[in-house]
Amino acid sequence: MWLFGAVWPLRPELREAYFVGYGRPLTAEEERLLKLLTVRRAVSYLHHGLVDGREDLVARGRLVLDRMVAHRRWSNGARG
């Protein structure tokens, strides 16, 4: 999930290399599930960071959510 949410939006060539090694791309269902789990994890980072006073977790949650939103905007713009 970390790769999907934080790394691959900035480095799509790493995503491609990962799946070459994996042997196949994700199915549409797997892709949707990965997105949902990544958002859930990011919200969990935010929650625990705020409750426990852990700025590192807050920053991690914000990073993942920000990158996913930016990637979605770019992807929608590229399609439309």
Side-chain angles (χ1 to χ4, degrees):
M1 288 182 287
W2 179 253
L3 290 173
F4 181 81
V7 178
W8 290 344
L10 299 177
R11 301 283 309 273
E13 75 279 8
L14 295 179
R15 177 187 172 101
E16 184 178 330
Y18 179 90
F19 285 108
V20 166
Y22 188 63
R24 67 173 179 83
L26 295 177
T27 65
E29 184 176 332
E30 291 168 332
E31 185 82 19
R32 282 191 304 273
L33 182 59
L34 181 56
K35 288 176 186 176
L36 290 171
L37 290 172
T38 301
V39 169
R40 188 210 176 276
R41 174 61 68 175
V43 170
S44 177
Y45 285 145
L46 281 172
H47 170 77
H48 290 291
L50 292 169
V51 168
D52 298 336
R54 299 257 325 259
E55 282 299 317
D56 60 319
L57 294 179
V58 171
R60 183 177 290 180
R62 286 183 177 153
L63 173 72
V64 171
L65 291 175
D66 288 346
R67 288 193 179 162
M68 290 191 70
V69 167
H71 178 71
R72 180 170 168 79
R73 286 183 184 148
W74 179 84
S75 294
N76 286 342
R79 281 189 244 152

